[in-house]
Amino acid sequence: MAGTVEDSGNTAPSSPAGLRGADLALRVLLFAVSLSGLVVLVTAKQTEMVPLVLTPPFRFGPVPAQFKDSPALIYLLVALCMTSLYSLLTAATSVKSMSSSASCAKGIFVLILLDVVYAGIMASATGTAGAVAWVGLKGNSHTRWNKICNIYGKFCRHIGSATCLGLIASIILVLLVVLNAYSLYRRSR
Amino acid sequence: MAGTVEDSGNTAPSSPAGLRGADLALRVLLFAVSLSGLVVLVTAKQTEMVPLVLTPPFRFGPVPAQFKDSPALIYLLVALCMTSLYSLLTAATSVKSMSSSASCAKGIFVLILLDVVYAGIMASATGTAGAVAWVGLKGNSHTRWNKICNIYGKFCRHIGSATCLGLIASIILVLLVVLNAYSLYRRSR
C-alpha cells in the first residue's frame, strides 16, 4: 500500500473525471426515474362500476381507486418526491464539483451518508408499495383480502410501474454509495 | 488536506481500534437483532375460531394464522435469515481484522459494498412486512381488506415485533456503511 496520496494539488488520480462523470450521470438518471415514478403514481386513478354490497341483491355504483386510498402508496409518493428533490440538489453539487479542480473527501463522505439513508428510505417504500400491489394482484385467501387488479387493471399497472421505478431508484442509490466509496478507497490507497 | 497517509506500518491513526471495535459491536448487535426477529417471526402462529362463511347461517371453525400465509412475511424471513448469517460471517472477519495489525482499505470497501446491498434488502423486507402488518391492523375500507388483528392479536404482535426488529437491523446496516465510509475517509485525509 502506498504511503502517499497523490491528491495534493492535482486531484485527477484519486478522483478521476470518469468517477465524477458517472456520479453525475447516475444522479441525473435518479432524477428522471424518481420523477417518472412520481408522475405514474399520481396519475394512478380509475373508476369502475362495482357491487356496493357483497350479498344479493347486488347494487352497482361507480367506485374510484386512487393512490390516496393506501398509506403504503402515500409513503411511496413521499419517498419519490424526496428522492427527486435530493437527486436534483446533489446533481447540482456534482456539477459544481466537476467545474472546480478539487473534490473534497469530506464532501464524498457526506454524500455516502445521505445516499445510504435515501437508499434505505427508497427501498422500504418500494417494499411497502410492492406488498400492497402484490395483495391487489393476487389477493390473500387466508386473510380474505380479495384481489382488485382484475377490476382496476389500469390502476394496478400504474402502481406496478411506480413500484418498479422505485426499485430502479433504490438500485441507483446503492450504486451511488458504492461509486463514492470506491472514490474514497482510491484516495486512501 | 494532508498529502500523506499515516498507515504504512502502523494502521492505528487511519483505522483506530475504536472504529474497529464499533464495527464489531454493531455486527454482534446485528446478529442478535436479526436472530431475535427470526425467532419472533417463526413462532408467529395462532389458531382462532372464526366464521368459515361470511353470510348467515354462520359456521365457525378453527383457522390458523401463520407467517407462511403471506409472501411478504416469507420475504422478511429470508432477509432476516440472510442477515443473521451475513452478520455472523462479517463479525468473524472483523475479529480477525482486529487481531491482525493491518486493516486493508480494499476489505473496508468490500464491506461497504456488501453492507449497503444488505441494508437495501433488509429495508425493503421491513417495508413489505410493515405494509402487510398495517393492513392487518387497520384494514382498508376502500379495497374491502378486513383487519385481522382484532382476532389474531398474538399473531399480530409477533409480526409487528419482527418488523420492528427488521427496522433496527436496517438502521444498524446503514450505520455500518457510514462507519466504514468514515474509516475510509480518515484514511484518505
Side-chain angles (χ1 to χ4, degrees):
Chain A
M1 193 183 298
T4 57
V5 173
E6 301 165 1
D7 66 349
S8 48
N10 178 15
T11 59
S14 56
S15 179
L19 283 183
R20 287 200 258 167
D23 181 88
L24 178 61
L26 281 176
R27 287 184 198 281
V28 170
L29 188 64
L30 179 63
F31 177 68
V33 167
S34 50
L35 193 68
S36 309
L38 205 59
V39 171
V40 170
L41 186 59
V42 169
T43 55
K45 194 170 181 179
Q46 188 180 0
T47 303
E48 290 294 331
M49 296 295 280
V50 295
L52 298 175
V53 286
L54 290 175
T55 49
F58 296 112
R59 283 189 302 113
F60 284 75
V63 175
Q66 48 193 345
F67 78 90
K68 289 176 201 162
D69 296 345
S70 165
L73 300 180
I74 293 172
Y75 178 38
L76 180 64
L77 181 96
V78 172
L80 284 169
C81 219
M82 282 169 66
T83 306
S84 297
L85 199 65
Y86 170 73
S87 59
L88 205 63
L89 287 172
T90 47
T93 317
S94 198
V95 169
K96 202 176 163 191
S97 130
M98 279 183 95
S99 60
S100 70
S101 62
S103 77
C104 169
K106 194 173 181 179
I108 297 173
F109 169 66
V110 171
L111 272 181
I112 292 176
L113 196 157
L114 292 172
D115 284 345
V116 73
V117 170
Y118 272 86
I121 292 171
M122 203 61 241
S124 66
T126 305
T128 309
V132 169
W134 186 259
V135 176
L137 185 69
K138 297 281 180 182
N140 190 323
S141 59
H142 304 282
T143 51
R144 289 180 189 147
W145 294 340
N146 51 298
K147 62 175 98 173
I148 60 160
C149 291
N150 50 344
I151 302 165
Y152 295 97
K154 188 187 141 209
F155 174 76
C156 280
R157 277 194 296 279
H158 273 250
I159 301 304
S161 306
T163 307
C164 282
L165 288 165
L167 179 65
I168 296 170
S170 311
I171 293 170
I172 294 171
L173 281 160
V174 166
L175 288 177
L176 276 167
V177 172
V178 174
L179 186 80
N180 282 311
Y182 182 68
S183 187
L184 277 187
Y185 161 61
R186 276 180 68 105
R187 279 168 169 265
S188 70
R189 279 190 305 180
Chain B
M1 192 182 302
T4 57
V5 173
E6 300 163 2
D7 65 350
S8 48
N10 178 15
T11 59
S14 55
S15 178
L19 283 181
R20 288 199 259 169
D23 181 88
L24 178 60
L26 281 175
R27 285 183 200 283
V28 170
L29 187 64
L30 179 63
F31 176 69
V33 167
S34 51
L35 194 68
S36 308
L38 206 58
V39 171
V40 170
L41 186 59
V42 169
T43 54
K45 196 171 180 179
Q46 188 179 2
T47 303
E48 291 294 330
M49 295 294 280
V50 295
L52 297 174
V53 286
L54 290 176
T55 49
F58 297 113
R59 282 190 300 113
F60 284 75
V63 176
Q66 48 193 344
F67 78 90
K68 289 177 201 160
D69 295 345
S70 165
L73 300 180
I74 294 173
Y75 178 38
L76 180 64
L77 180 96
V78 172
L80 285 168
C81 218
M82 281 169 65
T83 307
S84 298
L85 200 65
Y86 170 74
S87 59
L88 205 62
L89 288 172
T90 48
T93 317
S94 198
V95 169
K96 201 175 162 190
S97 130
M98 279 183 95
S99 60
S100 70
S101 62
S103 77
C104 169
K106 195 173 180 178
I108 297 173
F109 169 66
V110 172
L111 272 183
I112 292 176
L113 196 155
L114 292 172
D115 284 345
V116 73
V117 170
Y118 271 86
I121 292 171
M122 205 58 242
S124 67
T126 304
T128 310
V132 169
W134 186 259
V135 176
L137 186 68
K138 297 280 179 183
N140 190 322
S141 58
H142 304 283
T143 52
R144 289 178 190 149
W145 294 341
N146 53 298
K147 60 175 99 171
I148 60 160
C149 290
N150 49 345
I151 302 166
Y152 295 97
K154 188 187 141 211
F155 174 75
C156 280
R157 278 195 294 279
H158 273 251
I159 301 304
S161 307
T163 307
C164 282
L165 289 166
L167 179 64
I168 296 169
S170 311
I171 293 169
I172 293 172
L173 282 161
V174 166
L175 288 177
L176 276 167
V177 172
V178 174
L179 186 80
N180 282 312
Y182 181 69
S183 188
L184 275 188
Y185 162 61
R186 276 179 69 101
R187 281 168 167 263
S188 70
R189 280 190 303 182

